[in-house]
Amino acid sequence: MAEESGKKWVLMVTAQTPTNIAVIKYWGKRDEKLILPINDSISVTLDPSHLCTTTSVAVSPDFTHDRMWLNGKEISLSGGRYQNCLRELRARASEVEDEEKGIKITKKDWEKLHVHVASYNNFPTAAGLASSAAGFACLVFSLAKLMNVKEDQSKLSAIARQGSGSACRSLYGGFVKWIMGKEEDGSDSVAVQLADENHWDDLVIIIAVVSSRQKETSSTSGMLETVETSMLIQHRAKEVVPKRIIQMEEAIKNRDFPSFARLSCADSNQFHAVCLDTSPPIFYMNDTSHRIISCVEKWNRFEGTPQVAYTFDAGPNAVLISHNRKTAALLLQRLLFHFPPNSDTDLNSYVIGDKTILQDAGIQNMKDVEALAPPPEIKDNIPTQKYKGDVSYFICTKPGRGPVLLTDECQALLDPKTGLPK
Amino acid sequence: MAEESGKKWVLMVTAQTPTNIAVIKYWGKRDEKLILPINDSISVTLDPSHLCTTTSVAVSPDFTHDRMWLNGKEISLSGGRYQNCLRELRARASEVEDEEKGIKITKKDWEKLHVHVASYNNFPTAAGLASSAAGFACLVFSLAKLMNVKEDQSKLSAIARQGSGSACRSLYGGFVKWIMGKEEDGSDSVAVQLADENHWDDLVIIIAVVSSRQKETSSTSGMLETVETSMLIQHRAKEVVPKRIIQMEEAIKNRDFPSFARLSCADSNQFHAVCLDTSPPIFYMNDTSHRIISCVEKWNRFEGTPQVAYTFDAGPNAVLISHNRKTAALLLQRLLFHFPPNSDTDLNSYVIGDKTILQDAGIQNMKDVEALAPPPEIKDNIPTQKYKGDVSYFICTKPGRGPVLLTDECQALLDPKTGLPK
C-alpha cells in the first residue's frame, strides 16, 4: 500500500446472500457474547431472487473510519455484533494484490484500513423475515472476499454467527444444519450443508406476511428470558431437539415430506410453547397465525397425509412449505379464500415472488379470488369465515442457493470511485 | 316403601354448588374412564352468589326412569359420566325415613327407584366458566343428601371426579387441592380443603368473559391429545408441577400474594404452552387474552411487585385475582380503559357481580369510562390502543364457600308434588 500512497483507489466486492427459515428452531444461548446455542438447528435457505440481502464492501486508504449504510440510511457500526465480525475478519485478512489497478494491500495494512459497507434487503426489513440473518451473512461473506480471508465457508459461518446466530446458516444454500458445538470459544459452533437446493427441488414455499398491531419482543431478549425463566426449555434443548435433529436429517436425506412436515410443525409449535412458558410470556403468533395453522391442519388431516408444513419465527408471519407445485397452488387457493386482500389492494402486489404459482392456481384477477369455492375439508354446516386484510401479502418462493459474488458492477451499492453509496 | 305403595309421594333435596378456577392446572389423565389426573392441582372456589349451579334432585315411586333438566331443557342421562356418578351413589345409599310424610326408603329400594334432576347455572353455560365442574359437584352433593350417603366430603369428591375431573374441587369452599392419588381404582384421587374462604378474604376476582369467534377444543379431547402427542407434558407433570404444588400450598398458607401470583401466572402459561405443544396444536387464548396478560404484566412490572394474578382455563376468558379491593378497583379501571363496552352496551350489564368494585373505581356511568386516563405504566410515546367490544362482560367476585343445602322450598327447581320442573 505504501508504494501506492498518494494515488487514489477503491477496492470493492459485492455479494448477495439468502435468508433462511429454521425448521428445527434455534431458541436459547449458552453464551450471549459468542452467540452459542443450547441446541442444534436446521434450516431451509430461501431463494435469493425473492428474499436476499445485497452488500457491497469497499476499502480505500482515503476512508477515515468504518461506515455502513442499510437500505440507503447510514447506521452505526459501533455495536458489539458488528465489531465482533469486523475484528474476526481483520485478524484473518491476507495480502491482496490487484495488478491492473496497481493496488497491493499487505496483511498488516488491514489493521489500519477502513471499510465502507452498503447493504440492501429486497424485502421490508421490519416484516420479520430474518433480515439480520441474511445481513450478517452477507457482511461476513463479502468482507471475507474483499480481505482475501482464506478460511472455508464453515469457518466463516462461525464469524457470521457472532453477528446474528441464525446468520451462520445463510452461508449455504439448500438445507443447512447449525451444529451447536462443545468448545467454550465457539470454534466448533458452525453451519454445515446437509444437502444443496437441487437435492429436493419440488418444494414450494409460500410466506404469509401477517399484519400485526403489536411490537414484538426481539429474539435476542426473548430467548434470554426464556432460558432464564422457562421450566421447559432445558428439557426441549436436551431431550427433544437432539432426537428431532436426527429425524429431520433423515427426512431431508430421503425427501420424506410427511416426516419433514410433521417435524417442522411440531418444532415450530414447541418453540412458541416455550415462549409462552417464559415469564413474562412471549406471544409471537396472533389470531391470524392461529387461523393459518388451523387451515393447514384441517387440510392435512382431510387428505390423510401432510400436504403443507408450517413454521413461524419470532413474529406472526407464516412460512408454508408445500410438497410440490400442485399442492402449492391448492394452498394458495385456500389462503386467498380465507384471507382475501383488502378491496384497495391489487392482486399483483398481494401475491409476489414466483407468480407462476398464482397461474397454476388459476387465479388471474380479483374476480377469480372472489369466485374461489370453500375447500372440501370445510364442513358444510360451519359458516366459513373470511379474514379480509389480516394478511399483508404473500411471497411465493422456494429453497435456494447460498451466497454468490456479483461481478456486474452495476449491481454494486457503492460508487467504485468514491466508495460512497450510489 | 312397600307399605306406602299406592300413596303418592316425592322426596326432594335442593343444593347450591360453586364453580372453581385452578391456579395450578389439571391437564392430562392417566385413566380416561375413572378420570385420574397425571398431576395434583389447586383451585380457588368462586363465590356462588355470582357463579354457581343450583340443583334439585327428587325421588318418587312414580318416576319411571332417571331424568334430568339443565337450565329448563331436558338432557340425556345416558352418558357414561352421569351413569358413573349415579351408580356410585346408589351403591352407597342408605335408609331414609321421613316420618312426617310417612316415607320409608330402604337401602335396597334405591336400586329400583328413579330420580329426577333439575339443574340451573346462574351464568351462561357456554361462556367457558367451568359449568361442568359446578354441575357434577352439585349433582353428586344433592343426590348424596337425598340418598343419605354417609361418606365424607372427600369420598364424595371422588365420585364427582368421575363426572368431571375438576368437579371434585367444587365440593369445598376456599382453597382446594385435588390429590392425584396412586391407586388404580382412583379411591385416593380426592379433593381436600387447604383453607376455607375466610382464610384469605381480601382477594378480589374479576373475570373477563372474552368474545370468541372460534369453536374451542373440548378439554376432554384436548388433554387426551396433549398426553398422546406433547413432548413436554410429562416433564411438566412429573418435574414442574410437584414443586409448584408445594410452593402454592405455602403461598396460600402464608397469604403470600407475590408468590401466589407468580405461580398462578406461570402455571396458566405453562398449561397453554403444553396445549400449543400438542399435535395438532390447541389454542385457547386469543389476541384479547394476550392483551389482558400484557396489561397485567406491564402493571405488575411497573409496581415492582404483583398487584394481580391471571389464569386462563380451556378458553379465552381471563380470571384475574387481585390482592385486595384497592388493586381490584385499579384493575377494573385499566380493564375498562383498554376494553370499553360496545356503544350499545349498558355499563350495568357490562360489569356484573359485586358492583361495589365499580363504585370503588369511581365509575358510575359510561362517561366515567370514557374519561379514564391511560394508566401510568403506559409509556407516553406509545399511542394507547383501545379494544372496544373485545370483552363481552366482566364479573366481579371473590373466593367463596363450598356446597350448601337450600331449605327454602321456593328455591327448588322441581315441583314438590309432581317432581317435574316448576
Side-chain angles (χ1 to χ4, degrees), chain A residues 209-240:
Chain A
V209 178
V210 170
S211 327
S212 169
R213 294 201 283 177
Q214 312 282 111
K215 172 75 194 88
E216 280 130 29
T217 310
S218 83
S219 56
T220 301
S221 65
M223 65 177 80
L224 178 60
E225 285 169 23
T226 300
V227 170
E228 282 177 350
T229 64
S230 167
M231 308 287 278
L232 302 176
I233 183 71
Q234 293 302 335
H235 183 75
R236 161 174 166 73
K238 294 201 178 92
E239 305 296 328
V240 182

PDB file of all heavy atoms in Angstrom, chain A residues 209-240:
ATOM      1  N   VAL A 209     -47.169 -12.808   5.006  1.00  0.00           N
ATOM      2  CA  VAL A 209     -46.729 -11.699   5.848  1.00  0.00           C
ATOM      3  C   VAL A 209     -47.977 -11.158   6.546  1.00  0.00           C
ATOM      4  O   VAL A 209     -48.897 -10.659   5.896  1.00  0.00           O
ATOM      5  CB  VAL A 209     -46.005 -10.612   5.034  1.00  0.00           C
ATOM      6  CG1 VAL A 209     -45.609  -9.440   5.928  1.00  0.00           C
ATOM      7  CG2 VAL A 209     -44.763 -11.202   4.364  1.00  0.00           C
ATOM      8  N   VAL A 210     -48.006 -11.342   7.863  1.00  0.00           N
ATOM      9  CA  VAL A 210     -49.217 -11.092   8.643  1.00  0.00           C
ATOM     10  C   VAL A 210     -49.164  -9.701   9.263  1.00  0.00           C
ATOM     11  O   VAL A 210     -48.154  -9.329   9.871  1.00  0.00           O
ATOM     12  CB  VAL A 210     -49.369 -12.176   9.735  1.00  0.00           C
ATOM     13  CG1 VAL A 210     -50.477 -11.832  10.714  1.00  0.00           C
ATOM     14  CG2 VAL A 210     -49.613 -13.541   9.096  1.00  0.00           C
ATOM     15  N   SER A 211     -50.225  -8.956   9.095  1.00  0.00           N
ATOM     16  CA  SER A 211     -50.324  -7.635   9.705  1.00  0.00           C
ATOM     17  C   SER A 211     -50.321  -7.798  11.221  1.00  0.00           C
ATOM     18  O   SER A 211     -50.984  -8.672  11.750  1.00  0.00           O
ATOM     19  CB  SER A 211     -51.631  -6.959   9.289  1.00  0.00           C
ATOM     20  OG  SER A 211     -51.997  -7.344   7.988  1.00  0.00           O
ATOM     21  N   SER A 212     -49.581  -6.956  11.888  1.00  0.00           N
ATOM     22  CA  SER A 212     -49.526  -7.050  13.345  1.00  0.00           C
ATOM     23  C   SER A 212     -49.677  -5.675  13.947  1.00  0.00           C
ATOM     24  O   SER A 212     -49.114  -4.709  13.457  1.00  0.00           O
ATOM     25  CB  SER A 212     -48.197  -7.660  13.768  1.00  0.00           C
ATOM     26  OG  SER A 212     -48.025  -7.517  15.150  1.00  0.00           O
ATOM     27  N   ARG A 213     -50.462  -5.616  15.032  1.00  0.00           N
ATOM     28  CA  ARG A 213     -50.630  -4.331  15.714  1.00  0.00           C
ATOM     29  C   ARG A 213     -49.684  -4.223  16.900  1.00  0.00           C
ATOM     30  O   ARG A 213     -49.610  -3.220  17.560  1.00  0.00           O
ATOM     31  CB  ARG A 213     -52.080  -4.172  16.187  1.00  0.00           C
ATOM     32  CG  ARG A 213     -53.060  -4.060  15.024  1.00  0.00           C
ATOM     33  CD  ARG A 213     -54.354  -3.413  15.473  1.00  0.00           C
ATOM     34  NE  ARG A 213     -55.185  -4.348  16.221  1.00  0.00           N
ATOM     35  CZ  ARG A 213     -56.352  -4.017  16.770  1.00  0.00           C
ATOM     36  NH1 ARG A 213     -56.806  -2.786  16.680  1.00  0.00           N
ATOM     37  NH2 ARG A 213     -57.073  -4.910  17.415  1.00  0.00           N
ATOM     38  N   GLN A 214     -48.983  -5.312  17.189  1.00  0.00           N
ATOM     39  CA  GLN A 214     -48.159  -5.345  18.397  1.00  0.00           C
ATOM     40  C   GLN A 214     -46.684  -5.158  18.054  1.00  0.00           C
ATOM     41  O   GLN A 214     -46.225  -5.604  17.015  1.00  0.00           O
ATOM     42  CB  GLN A 214     -48.286  -6.710  19.083  1.00  0.00           C
ATOM     43  CG  GLN A 214     -49.686  -7.218  19.275  1.00  0.00           C
ATOM     44  CD  GLN A 214     -50.405  -6.564  20.434  1.00  0.00           C
ATOM     45  OE1 GLN A 214     -51.329  -5.807  20.236  1.00  0.00           O
ATOM     46  NE2 GLN A 214     -49.965  -6.822  21.643  1.00  0.00           N
ATOM     47  N   LYS A 215     -45.947  -4.555  18.969  1.00  0.00           N
ATOM     48  CA  LYS A 215     -44.491  -4.542  18.873  1.00  0.00           C
ATOM     49  C   LYS A 215     -44.015  -5.855  19.471  1.00  0.00           C
ATOM     50  O   LYS A 215     -44.385  -6.223  20.578  1.00  0.00           O
ATOM     51  CB  LYS A 215     -43.929  -3.352  19.661  1.00  0.00           C
ATOM     52  CG  LYS A 215     -42.404  -3.333  19.785  1.00  0.00           C
ATOM     53  CD  LYS A 215     -41.730  -2.912  18.489  1.00  0.00           C
ATOM     54  CE  LYS A 215     -40.232  -3.235  18.529  1.00  0.00           C
ATOM     55  NZ  LYS A 215     -39.922  -4.596  18.054  1.00  0.00           N
ATOM     56  N   GLU A 216     -43.210  -6.566  18.709  1.00  0.00           N
ATOM     57  CA  GLU A 216     -42.763  -7.862  19.214  1.00  0.00           C
ATOM     58  C   GLU A 216     -41.497  -7.767  20.069  1.00  0.00           C
ATOM     59  O   GLU A 216     -40.682  -6.884  19.885  1.00  0.00           O
ATOM     60  CB  GLU A 216     -42.508  -8.812  18.044  1.00  0.00           C
ATOM     61  CG  GLU A 216     -43.779  -9.421  17.507  1.00  0.00           C
ATOM     62  CD  GLU A 216     -43.879  -9.294  16.003  1.00  0.00           C
ATOM     63  OE1 GLU A 216     -42.834  -9.266  15.354  1.00  0.00           O
ATOM     64  OE2 GLU A 216     -45.013  -9.187  15.503  1.00  0.00           O
ATOM     65  N   THR A 217     -41.378  -8.736  20.974  1.00  0.00           N
ATOM     66  CA  THR A 217     -40.161  -8.899  21.751  1.00  0.00           C
ATOM     67  C   THR A 217     -39.045  -9.277  20.783  1.00  0.00           C
ATOM     68  O   THR A 217     -39.233 -10.151  19.947  1.00  0.00           O
ATOM     69  CB  THR A 217     -40.354 -10.058  22.756  1.00  0.00           C
ATOM     70  OG1 THR A 217     -41.581  -9.847  23.453  1.00  0.00           O
ATOM     71  CG2 THR A 217     -39.217 -10.146  23.747  1.00  0.00           C
ATOM     72  N   SER A 218     -37.880  -8.641  20.877  1.00  0.00           N
ATOM     73  CA  SER A 218     -36.775  -9.016  19.999  1.00  0.00           C
ATOM     74  C   SER A 218     -36.359 -10.441  20.331  1.00  0.00           C
ATOM     75  O   SER A 218     -36.485 -10.883  21.473  1.00  0.00           O
ATOM     76  CB  SER A 218     -35.589  -8.078  20.199  1.00  0.00           C
ATOM     77  OG  SER A 218     -34.822  -8.487  21.311  1.00  0.00           O
ATOM     78  N   SER A 219     -35.856 -11.159  19.321  1.00  0.00           N
ATOM     79  CA  SER A 219     -35.493 -12.548  19.602  1.00  0.00           C
ATOM     80  C   SER A 219     -34.319 -12.610  20.572  1.00  0.00           C
ATOM     81  O   SER A 219     -34.235 -13.521  21.384  1.00  0.00           O
ATOM     82  CB  SER A 219     -35.199 -13.309  18.310  1.00  0.00           C
ATOM     83  OG  SER A 219     -34.202 -12.670  17.580  1.00  0.00           O
ATOM     84  N   THR A 220     -33.443 -11.619  20.534  1.00  0.00           N
ATOM     85  CA  THR A 220     -32.301 -11.617  21.459  1.00  0.00           C
ATOM     86  C   THR A 220     -32.764 -11.591  22.911  1.00  0.00           C
ATOM     87  O   THR A 220     -32.377 -12.441  23.711  1.00  0.00           O
ATOM     88  CB  THR A 220     -31.396 -10.395  21.187  1.00  0.00           C
ATOM     89  OG1 THR A 220     -30.957 -10.468  19.840  1.00  0.00           O
ATOM     90  CG2 THR A 220     -30.195 -10.373  22.109  1.00  0.00           C
ATOM     91  N   SER A 221     -33.631 -10.629  23.244  1.00  0.00           N
ATOM     92  CA  SER A 221     -34.061 -10.561  24.645  1.00  0.00           C
ATOM     93  C   SER A 221     -35.058 -11.669  24.942  1.00  0.00           C
ATOM     94  O   SER A 221     -35.082 -12.217  26.040  1.00  0.00           O
ATOM     95  CB  SER A 221     -34.648  -9.192  24.965  1.00  0.00           C
ATOM     96  OG  SER A 221     -35.829  -8.989  24.228  1.00  0.00           O
ATOM     97  N   GLY A 222     -35.861 -12.061  23.942  1.00  0.00           N
ATOM     98  CA  GLY A 222     -36.834 -13.131  24.149  1.00  0.00           C
ATOM     99  C   GLY A 222     -36.167 -14.432  24.548  1.00  0.00           C
ATOM    100  O   GLY A 222     -36.538 -15.055  25.543  1.00  0.00           O
ATOM    101  N   MET A 223     -35.141 -14.831  23.790  1.00  0.00           N
ATOM    102  CA  MET A 223     -34.534 -16.135  24.116  1.00  0.00           C
ATOM    103  C   MET A 223     -33.758 -16.092  25.421  1.00  0.00           C
ATOM    104  O   MET A 223     -33.692 -17.084  26.139  1.00  0.00           O
ATOM    105  CB  MET A 223     -33.711 -16.692  22.951  1.00  0.00           C
ATOM    106  CG  MET A 223     -32.496 -15.963  22.531  1.00  0.00           C
ATOM    107  SD  MET A 223     -31.639 -16.885  21.183  1.00  0.00           S
ATOM    108  CE  MET A 223     -32.594 -16.434  19.754  1.00  0.00           C
ATOM    109  N   LEU A 224     -33.243 -14.918  25.756  1.00  0.00           N
ATOM    110  CA  LEU A 224     -32.558 -14.790  27.048  1.00  0.00           C
ATOM    111  C   LEU A 224     -33.559 -14.999  28.188  1.00  0.00           C
ATOM    112  O   LEU A 224     -33.302 -15.739  29.141  1.00  0.00           O
ATOM    113  CB  LEU A 224     -31.903 -13.404  27.140  1.00  0.00           C
ATOM    114  CG  LEU A 224     -31.172 -13.072  28.440  1.00  0.00           C
ATOM    115  CD1 LEU A 224     -30.041 -14.069  28.695  1.00  0.00           C
ATOM    116  CD2 LEU A 224     -30.610 -11.652  28.402  1.00  0.00           C
ATOM    117  N   GLU A 225     -34.730 -14.368  28.055  1.00  0.00           N
ATOM    118  CA  GLU A 225     -35.753 -14.512  29.099  1.00  0.00           C
ATOM    119  C   GLU A 225     -36.278 -15.943  29.177  1.00  0.00           C
ATOM    120  O   GLU A 225     -36.569 -16.451  30.257  1.00  0.00           O
ATOM    121  CB  GLU A 225     -36.904 -13.528  28.847  1.00  0.00           C
ATOM    122  CG  GLU A 225     -36.514 -12.106  29.222  1.00  0.00           C
ATOM    123  CD  GLU A 225     -37.509 -11.052  28.747  1.00  0.00           C
ATOM    124  OE1 GLU A 225     -38.682 -11.401  28.529  1.00  0.00           O
ATOM    125  OE2 GLU A 225     -37.098  -9.891  28.591  1.00  0.00           O
ATOM    126  N   THR A 226     -36.395 -16.605  28.020  1.00  0.00           N
ATOM    127  CA  THR A 226     -36.842 -17.999  28.037  1.00  0.00           C
ATOM    128  C   THR A 226     -35.843 -18.870  28.795  1.00  0.00           C
ATOM    129  O   THR A 226     -36.228 -19.664  29.657  1.00  0.00           O
ATOM    130  CB  THR A 226     -37.019 -18.540  26.599  1.00  0.00           C
ATOM    131  OG1 THR A 226     -37.988 -17.756  25.920  1.00  0.00           O
ATOM    132  CG2 THR A 226     -37.485 -19.991  26.616  1.00  0.00           C
ATOM    133  N   VAL A 227     -34.552 -18.708  28.478  1.00  0.00           N
ATOM    134  CA  VAL A 227     -33.540 -19.536  29.149  1.00  0.00           C
ATOM    135  C   VAL A 227     -33.550 -19.263  30.654  1.00  0.00           C
ATOM    136  O   VAL A 227     -33.411 -20.173  31.463  1.00  0.00           O
ATOM    137  CB  VAL A 227     -32.143 -19.286  28.540  1.00  0.00           C
ATOM    138  CG1 VAL A 227     -31.051 -19.937  29.381  1.00  0.00           C
ATOM    139  CG2 VAL A 227     -32.094 -19.819  27.111  1.00  0.00           C
ATOM    140  N   GLU A 228     -33.791 -18.003  31.019  1.00  0.00           N
ATOM    141  CA  GLU A 228     -33.760 -17.656  32.445  1.00  0.00           C
ATOM    142  C   GLU A 228     -35.007 -18.098  33.207  1.00  0.00           C
ATOM    143  O   GLU A 228     -34.938 -18.342  34.409  1.00  0.00           O
ATOM    144  CB  GLU A 228     -33.591 -16.134  32.608  1.00  0.00           C
ATOM    145  CG  GLU A 228     -32.146 -15.690  32.394  1.00  0.00           C
ATOM    146  CD  GLU A 228     -31.989 -14.177  32.473  1.00  0.00           C
ATOM    147  OE1 GLU A 228     -33.014 -13.465  32.502  1.00  0.00           O
ATOM    148  OE2 GLU A 228     -30.836 -13.720  32.494  1.00  0.00           O
ATOM    149  N   THR A 229     -36.156 -18.187  32.529  1.00  0.00           N
ATOM    150  CA  THR A 229     -37.393 -18.403  33.295  1.00  0.00           C
ATOM    151  C   THR A 229     -38.212 -19.637  32.914  1.00  0.00           C
ATOM    152  O   THR A 229     -39.029 -20.078  33.709  1.00  0.00           O
ATOM    153  CB  THR A 229     -38.335 -17.177  33.174  1.00  0.00           C
ATOM    154  OG1 THR A 229     -38.736 -17.042  31.800  1.00  0.00           O
ATOM    155  CG2 THR A 229     -37.650 -15.896  33.631  1.00  0.00           C
ATOM    156  N   SER A 230     -38.032 -20.181  31.706  1.00  0.00           N
ATOM    157  CA  SER A 230     -38.887 -21.315  31.331  1.00  0.00           C
ATOM    158  C   SER A 230     -38.432 -22.595  32.022  1.00  0.00           C
ATOM    159  O   SER A 230     -37.242 -22.903  32.071  1.00  0.00           O
ATOM    160  CB  SER A 230     -38.872 -21.527  29.817  1.00  0.00           C
ATOM    161  OG  SER A 230     -39.443 -22.786  29.513  1.00  0.00           O
ATOM    162  N   MET A 231     -39.415 -23.346  32.542  1.00  0.00           N
ATOM    163  CA  MET A 231     -39.123 -24.631  33.169  1.00  0.00           C
ATOM    164  C   MET A 231     -39.098 -25.746  32.129  1.00  0.00           C
ATOM    165  O   MET A 231     -38.865 -26.896  32.455  1.00  0.00           O
ATOM    166  CB  MET A 231     -40.198 -24.963  34.212  1.00  0.00           C
ATOM    167  CG  MET A 231     -40.464 -23.880  35.229  1.00  0.00           C
ATOM    168  SD  MET A 231     -39.135 -23.730  36.411  1.00  0.00           S
ATOM    169  CE  MET A 231     -39.587 -25.049  37.546  1.00  0.00           C
ATOM    170  N   LEU A 232     -39.389 -25.410  30.873  1.00  0.00           N
ATOM    171  CA  LEU A 232     -39.472 -26.440  29.833  1.00  0.00           C
ATOM    172  C   LEU A 232     -38.327 -26.368  28.830  1.00  0.00           C
ATOM    173  O   LEU A 232     -38.036 -27.345  28.137  1.00  0.00           O
ATOM    174  CB  LEU A 232     -40.804 -26.304  29.075  1.00  0.00           C
ATOM    175  CG  LEU A 232     -42.088 -26.407  29.909  1.00  0.00           C
ATOM    176  CD1 LEU A 232     -43.309 -26.156  29.031  1.00  0.00           C
ATOM    177  CD2 LEU A 232     -42.204 -27.762  30.595  1.00  0.00           C
ATOM    178  N   ILE A 233     -37.643 -25.209  28.737  1.00  0.00           N
ATOM    179  CA  ILE A 233     -36.672 -25.014  27.659  1.00  0.00           C
ATOM    180  C   ILE A 233     -35.507 -26.002  27.731  1.00  0.00           C
ATOM    181  O   ILE A 233     -35.045 -26.501  26.702  1.00  0.00           O
ATOM    182  CB  ILE A 233     -36.161 -23.539  27.617  1.00  0.00           C
ATOM    183  CG1 ILE A 233     -35.197 -23.304  26.448  1.00  0.00           C
ATOM    184  CG2 ILE A 233     -35.503 -23.125  28.916  1.00  0.00           C
ATOM    185  CD1 ILE A 233     -35.827 -23.318  25.093  1.00  0.00           C
ATOM    186  N   GLN A 234     -35.022 -26.317  28.929  1.00  0.00           N
ATOM    187  CA  GLN A 234     -33.876 -27.231  29.014  1.00  0.00           C
ATOM    188  C   GLN A 234     -34.277 -28.639  28.589  1.00  0.00           C
ATOM    189  O   GLN A 234     -33.504 -29.345  27.936  1.00  0.00           O
ATOM    190  CB  GLN A 234     -33.280 -27.238  30.430  1.00  0.00           C
ATOM    191  CG  GLN A 234     -32.615 -25.921  30.837  1.00  0.00           C
ATOM    192  CD  GLN A 234     -31.473 -25.485  29.907  1.00  0.00           C
ATOM    193  OE1 GLN A 234     -30.846 -26.302  29.242  1.00  0.00           O
ATOM    194  NE2 GLN A 234     -31.228 -24.176  29.839  1.00  0.00           N
ATOM    195  N   HIS A 235     -35.497 -29.022  28.957  1.00  0.00           N
ATOM    196  CA  HIS A 235     -35.985 -30.339  28.536  1.00  0.00           C
ATOM    197  C   HIS A 235     -36.078 -30.392  27.012  1.00  0.00           C
ATOM    198  O   HIS A 235     -35.693 -31.372  26.379  1.00  0.00           O
ATOM    199  CB  HIS A 235     -37.345 -30.620  29.176  1.00  0.00           C
ATOM    200  CG  HIS A 235     -37.886 -31.975  28.850  1.00  0.00           C
ATOM    201  ND1 HIS A 235     -37.400 -33.126  29.423  1.00  0.00           N
ATOM    202  CD2 HIS A 235     -38.861 -32.364  27.989  1.00  0.00           C
ATOM    203  CE1 HIS A 235     -38.056 -34.163  28.938  1.00  0.00           C
ATOM    204  NE2 HIS A 235     -38.950 -33.729  28.066  1.00  0.00           N
ATOM    205  N   ARG A 236     -36.594 -29.299  26.435  1.00  0.00           N
ATOM    206  CA  ARG A 236     -36.650 -29.216  24.972  1.00  0.00           C
ATOM    207  C   ARG A 236     -35.254 -29.353  24.365  1.00  0.00           C
ATOM    208  O   ARG A 236     -35.029 -30.165  23.473  1.00  0.00           O
ATOM    209  CB  ARG A 236     -37.268 -27.868  24.551  1.00  0.00           C
ATOM    210  CG  ARG A 236     -36.955 -27.484  23.112  1.00  0.00           C
ATOM    211  CD  ARG A 236     -37.658 -26.237  22.620  1.00  0.00           C
ATOM    212  NE  ARG A 236     -37.069 -25.772  21.376  1.00  0.00           N
ATOM    213  CZ  ARG A 236     -37.226 -26.357  20.194  1.00  0.00           C
ATOM    214  NH1 ARG A 236     -37.968 -27.443  20.096  1.00  0.00           N
ATOM    215  NH2 ARG A 236     -36.650 -25.889  19.110  1.00  0.00           N
ATOM    216  N   ALA A 237     -34.313 -28.524  24.857  1.00  0.00           N
ATOM    217  CA  ALA A 237     -32.981 -28.469  24.242  1.00  0.00           C
ATOM    218  C   ALA A 237     -32.233 -29.792  24.405  1.00  0.00           C
ATOM    219  O   ALA A 237     -31.561 -30.250  23.486  1.00  0.00           O
ATOM    220  CB  ALA A 237     -32.180 -27.319  24.846  1.00  0.00           C
ATOM    221  N   LYS A 238     -32.366 -30.407  25.566  1.00  0.00           N
ATOM    222  CA  LYS A 238     -31.557 -31.597  25.853  1.00  0.00           C
ATOM    223  C   LYS A 238     -32.214 -32.899  25.427  1.00  0.00           C
ATOM    224  O   LYS A 238     -31.539 -33.839  25.037  1.00  0.00           O
ATOM    225  CB  LYS A 238     -31.254 -31.658  27.360  1.00  0.00           C
ATOM    226  CG  LYS A 238     -30.361 -30.519  27.832  1.00  0.00           C
ATOM    227  CD  LYS A 238     -29.666 -30.866  29.140  1.00  0.00           C
ATOM    228  CE  LYS A 238     -28.743 -29.748  29.579  1.00  0.00           C
ATOM    229  NZ  LYS A 238     -29.402 -28.789  30.479  1.00  0.00           N
ATOM    230  N   GLU A 239     -33.546 -32.973  25.560  1.00  0.00           N
ATOM    231  CA  GLU A 239     -34.214 -34.259  25.319  1.00  0.00           C
ATOM    232  C   GLU A 239     -34.963 -34.314  23.998  1.00  0.00           C
ATOM    233  O   GLU A 239     -34.998 -35.349  23.351  1.00  0.00           O
ATOM    234  CB  GLU A 239     -35.203 -34.564  26.463  1.00  0.00           C
ATOM    235  CG  GLU A 239     -34.587 -34.548  27.857  1.00  0.00           C
ATOM    236  CD  GLU A 239     -33.543 -35.635  28.053  1.00  0.00           C
ATOM    237  OE1 GLU A 239     -33.691 -36.706  27.435  1.00  0.00           O
ATOM    238  OE2 GLU A 239     -32.569 -35.397  28.803  1.00  0.00           O
ATOM    239  N   VAL A 240     -35.598 -33.204  23.620  1.00  0.00           N
ATOM    240  CA  VAL A 240     -36.477 -33.253  22.447  1.00  0.00           C
ATOM    241  C   VAL A 240     -35.711 -32.956  21.153  1.00  0.00           C
ATOM    242  O   VAL A 240     -35.762 -33.736  20.198  1.00  0.00           O
ATOM    243  CB  VAL A 240     -37.671 -32.280  22.600  1.00  0.00           C
ATOM    244  CG1 VAL A 240     -38.593 -32.388  21.395  1.00  0.00           C
ATOM    245  CG2 VAL A 240     -38.439 -32.557  23.894  1.00  0.00           C
TER     246      VAL A 240
END
